[in-house]
Amino acid sequence: MASEETPTLTPTPIRTESAPEAKTAPTRAWAVRLMMVGIVLAALNLRPAITSLGALLEEVRDGLGMSGSVAGLLTSVPPLCFAIFGVMAPRLARRFGPGAVVCAGMVAIAAGLVIRPFTGNTVGFLVASALALMGIAVSNVLMPVIVKRWFPDRVGSMTGLYSMALALGTSLAAAVTVPVTDALGGSWKSGLALWAALAVAAVVPWVPLARERGAKGGNTVGAPQQDDGLRITRSRTAWALAVFFGLQATAAYITMGWMAQIFRDAGVSAGTAGVLLAVTMAMGVPLAFVIPRLATRLPSQGPIVIALGVCGLAGYAGLYFAPSGGAWAWAVLLGISNCAFPLALTMVGMRARTGTGVAKLSAFAQSTGYLISIPGPLLVGVLYQHSGGWGIPIALMAALMVPQIVVGVIAGRNRTVEDEAAPAEAAPVGAA
């Protein structure tokens, strides 16, 4: 076979005779190491486009003449792009292969980050931001699929590595964007464009990996092979999980887009405000490991939902009454609360029995959730502009935490979507 004579990048070793096997083994080891580097570098690039902007939002608004409402629209662009472009990712992966799509995603991130500071107007800035976010969206969806395909026996550890790199990139961009901007002469344009270099570095390992066609033979890992008749919209648990995902995403994007500005308006310096945002984002590094492991050991995830919600309510209360006095405590509490994201992903896997059910539930919960999260950051910007302060926006954030707790408890109940949404004739007999 041709594969015996010329080894190619494949996610699983090819069983051949001893001589060709000797050729394939080192090639596979090299490819696996390269894939690990590619996953880490890609994950590092999945949030800096958002958090670096949050750290310099005031300078960007002044430089482009944005109103508070338009700035709120800007902070709503990430979930909108994730909802629209994320849906396209599985189809693109089947057509071109997941490696090629992620490679193109890294190129789109780099291009968008280079272009957007120098467009000179708000419309151009939004379009270039959307280009970068499109790359993030497709990569975000496909990274778990790639992890499952290349590391089927190390899904947990590789997902942990991926999550840690994502949180690290998020917090790093929040922490160093302002000081690096000052070191570059105070130009917010240079401070934002700098992050394109990290995306360019991520392109390098994905160029050879792009030749790996995950859809060969139509056997793409993570894609359901046939429709089992499951109608996910009939499941109350699926709807509860989608709303929970949407509300936690709303809180996360409001935090990334506005929290640094809240601290700055309270008298905190720009550099310290960026570090506070970084602390909030960095809480996801250790807790992304702890929370999923704890969640899988409990029959119901309601207690974790409540604990995270209480931390969020305490953090918002602190921002309302003493934003600068206890800034570090509020940053930590909101960082803990924002770890509802790994909990939501864990519940997706626990609320379905079959691979098809998990795929359908994940697609429904994430796409619906991101759509739900779109108005939140925009509404905060409008309220901030028209109220002249942060009291009403912070009260809104706290109010949204209450339904998040309620639907999270419902989504965390010990049941599966197959039991709720399977066709009557296919319902399992005697299912628990």
Side-chain angles (χ1 to χ4, degrees):
M1 293 186 295
S3 60
E4 296 177 357
E5 297 174 3
T6 307
T8 57
L9 292 177
T10 56
T12 53
I14 299 175
R15 296 288 182 184
T16 60
E17 302 197 19
S18 58
E21 192 172 291
K23 287 184 180 181
T24 304
T27 302
R28 170 170 163 72
W30 167 78
V32 169
R33 287 194 294 269
L34 187 64
M35 177 59 77
M36 292 178 68
V37 172
I39 288 173
V40 170
L41 287 176
L44 285 171
N45 280 280
L46 295 182
R47 293 298 180 269
I50 303 169
T51 51
S52 62
L53 177 59
L56 293 174
L57 186 58
E58 183 175 311
E59 288 78 5
V60 174
R61 286 178 58 192
D62 293 341
L64 296 178
M66 288 185 187
S67 65
S69 299
V70 174
L73 175 62
L74 185 61
T75 58
S76 295
V77 169
L80 175 62
C81 289
F82 290 170
I84 294 174
F85 298 120
V87 175
M88 300 165 51
R91 182 176 299 178
L92 291 172
R94 287 193 294 269
R95 175 67 178 85
F96 301 104
V101 177
V102 172
C103 183
M106 295 299 108
V107 172
I109 295 170
L113 292 181
V114 167
I115 295 170
R116 74 174 180 178
F118 305 104
T119 56
N121 59 75
T122 300
V123 173
F125 192 94
L126 287 170
V127 171
S129 294
L131 175 62
L133 292 167
M134 177 178 65
I136 294 173
V138 296
S139 302
N140 217 20
V141 171
L142 293 178
M143 293 304 291
V145 175
I146 290 173
V147 166
K148 286 183 181 181
R149 182 170 179 81
W150 282 77
F151 305 96
D153 55 343
R154 288 183 284 169
V155 170
S157 60
M158 288 304 300
T159 300
L161 180 64
Y162 157 77
S163 300
M164 183 173 65
L166 191 152
L168 179 61
T170 304
S171 57
L172 186 66
V176 307
T177 296
V178 172
V180 168
T181 300
D182 293 339
L184 294 174
S187 170
W188 62 266
K189 296 180 179 181
S190 300
L192 291 182
L194 175 69
W195 293 101
L198 184 61
V200 171
V203 174
V204 176
W206 285 100
V207 170
L209 293 170
R211 293 178 295 177
E212 190 275 312
R213 297 294 297 275
K216 279 185 179 179
N219 189 23
T220 302
V221 174
Q225 298 303 308
Q226 59 183 8
D227 191 343
D228 59 357
L230 181 67
R231 297 296 177 259
I232 201 71
T233 55
R234 296 177 181 173
S235 167
R236 284 180 290 182
T237 297
W239 279 105
L241 188 53
V243 176
F244 178 70
F245 192 97
L247 290 174
Q248 67 81 27
T250 299
Y253 286 108
I254 290 174
T255 298
M256 284 188 282
W258 289 109
M259 198 174 83
Q261 190 66 50
I262 293 174
F263 285 128
R264 292 179 68 172
D265 287 350
V268 177
S269 69
T272 302
V275 174
L276 287 166
L277 178 58
V279 169
T280 301
M281 298 297 105
M283 294 303 299
V285 177
L287 292 180
F289 287 99
V290 175
I291 289 177
R293 291 173 63 87
L294 179 61
T296 55
R297 296 178 182 179
L298 298 175
S300 170
Q301 290 70 53
I304 304 178
V305 171
I306 294 171
L308 296 178
V310 169
C311 287
L313 289 171
Y316 289 132
L319 282 181
Y320 188 93
F321 291 107
S324 60
W328 296 99
W330 318 144
V332 170
L333 286 170
L334 290 173
I336 296 173
S337 178
N338 280 346
C339 288
F341 174 68
L343 176 61
L345 293 183
T346 304
M347 288 196 290
V348 167
M350 298 182 68
R351 297 285 83 86
R353 287 196 306 268
T354 65
T356 300
V358 171
K360 288 186 175 183
L361 179 58
S362 178
F364 175 74
Q366 293 201 46
S367 60
T368 304
Y370 280 128
L371 287 173
I372 290 172
S373 71
I374 291 171
L378 175 60
L379 182 57
V380 166
V382 173
L383 291 175
Y384 171 56
Q385 180 179 2
H386 291 283
S387 67
W390 286 107
I392 295 177
I394 292 173
L396 171 66
M397 298 177 212
L400 291 176
M401 188 59 64
V402 176
Q404 178 178 319
I405 295 172
V406 172
V407 295
V409 170
I410 296 173
R413 293 178 301 177
N414 187 17
R415 59 191 62 194
T416 65
V417 294
E418 286 88 353
D419 293 335
E420 295 179 338
E425 64 274 11
V429 178

